[in-house]
Amino acid sequence: MTDATDNGVSKGWLHGRGEPSLSDVFRSIPVRNQGNWFRRALAFIGPGYLVSVGYMDPGNWATSIAGGASFGYTLLVVALMSNIMAIILQSLCARLAVGTGRDLAQACRDAFPRPVSFILWIFAEVAIIATDIAEVVGTAIGLNLLFGIPLELGVIITALDVFLVLLLQRLGFRYVEAFIVGLLGVIFACFFVQIALADPEWGAVIRGFAPTTEIVRNPDMLYLALGIIGATVMPHNLYLHSGIVQTRAFGKSDAEKRQALTFATLDSTVALMLALLVNASILILAAATFHKAGHVNVGDLTQAHGMLEPLVGSLLAPKLFAIALLCCGLSSTVTATLAGQIVMEGFLQFRLPAWLRRLITRMVAIVPAALVTLYYGAEGTGMLLILSQVILAFQLPFAIVPLVMFTRDRAKMGPLASPGWLTAVSAVIAAIIIALNVKLLWDVAASL
């Protein structure tokens, strides 16, 4: 009998698993199967934090700022609900990786006929490009706010992170993770200070995490709530997580796989709860400053940055806002680049030199971003961000549905197949997110 992680064709798969994606770091981090529980868990800390970056990227900032400015703390409960959905779906990614030895791209390639997997690859590549464009534009805005660098030049500068990823990965994947965790630490510190300066009403903050029927009764509030949930799960995170979990050299026995799944799920759950703190902090900051002062129509990042100083009464607040935005942009571009590599290698088994592969991925995103900023300026970057979110909304079902299908299939997953309750919950979450994204596409089409 061929194991699900063998290279041969096993039951449930049309094709055998080929060479893994990110082969230069595949199973490169040793895992202790015995000894102290904490030391074993420590080996799995890292991938979840790379994934969490996608839930606090520049594309999510505008939604949180608009929600806080318009309705104060009320939509905090929506941020909490959407985060719980993300935790469950990312746990499926870890389950797929540990149970089959495949990332989501490889699983699609090996489970579906070639024409189907090719179409899914096209959708995935378009989603990666759209994600990368949003991160590039966000980083450029951060550079502009912090150093006054023109947006056009800032877009070009973001290409340098390709070589940063190469350097860090050459040193070892732990260095990539340490770099991202370091940036996340800066982001948390920036928002901690900004929240302290804004001095929110903590009683209202706590009440904001409680469900309220007002969200459903108020059409404007409902629209923003749907936007927060619909923009939570990004396709590239599903491919990314299922790939980087396999940098850990966990064992092949059922017991070792179960242990690996437990620690990987714990890692992503804790990391995504920290991402919730960042998203909640953005919304709280907007509520405590813009909403409190009566500025209820704030959604542009540059506009929000410019309004912080007079409202908070400190030069430090807008500086910290810009630093956090830049760190979010930098970390997001790094993880989007890794996701692009996983998608290309997983679907196509297409091997290029690491520097060339990452440069091609980044150039495909930078060229349209640079052209738009040159032609339209700052207004064009806003249009580009909106377009990128619409593209992501269209691609999302083609990543979520296969993920739920694969992880429930005992022939593919063996003893690590999702239990019935988890499959049911995941299917409901997928249906909700898909429905919300369909609504987004409908609204955009209706506004044209």
Side-chain angles (χ1 to χ4, degrees), residues 23 37 79 102 135 187 189 243 323 363 398 448:
S23 57
W37 184 92
R102 292 169 167 85
E135 319 307 11
I187 295 167
I323 291 171
M363 285 302 106
F398 301 99
L448 296 179

Side-chain angles (χ1 to χ4, degrees), residues 308-329:
L308 276 177
E309 180 187 343
L311 293 176
V312 177
S314 170
L315 283 170
L316 185 60
K319 289 292 183 186
L320 292 175
F321 181 90
I323 291 171
L325 177 60
L326 179 58
C327 288
C328 278

Side-chain angles (χ1 to χ4, degrees), residues 23-110:
S23 57
D24 48 340
V25 293
F26 180 76
R27 293 187 174 270
S28 61
I29 299 174
V31 172
R32 292 175 177 265
N33 293 316
Q34 304 295 331
N36 182 274
W37 184 92
F38 179 76
R39 290 179 64 87
R40 283 181 285 150
L42 194 63
F44 286 88
I45 294 178
Y49 293 88
L50 270 67
V51 170
S52 72
V53 166
Y55 294 94
M56 59 181 88
D57 75 320
N60 291 336
W61 279 45
T63 307
S64 295
I65 289 174
S70 299
F71 303 109
Y73 308 103
T74 307
L75 295 180
L76 283 171
V77 65
V78 179
L80 175 61
M81 290 171 52
S82 61
N83 198 259
I84 293 172
M85 293 180 178
I87 287 173
I88 293 173
L89 289 178
Q90 294 299 160
S91 74
L92 293 187
C93 294
R95 184 177 291 271
L96 177 69
V98 174
T100 69
R102 292 169 167 85
D103 56 60
L104 181 57
Q106 290 175 312
C108 290
R109 180 198 68 206
D110 294 342

Side-chain angles (χ1 to χ4, degrees), residues 177-229:
E177 295 171 345
F179 174 71
I180 296 298
V181 170
L183 290 177
L184 294 179
V186 174
I187 295 167
F188 288 132
C190 288
F191 276 107
F192 180 82
V193 176
Q194 288 180 87
I195 293 297
L197 291 172
D199 190 24
E201 183 185 343
W202 289 108
V205 170
I206 294 172
R207 290 192 297 273
F209 285 104
T212 172
T213 57
E214 184 184 2
I215 296 175
V216 179
R217 288 187 283 107
N218 185 328
D220 293 333
M221 191 180 293
L222 178 61
Y223 182 80
L224 264 180
L226 296 180
I228 291 174
I229 297 175

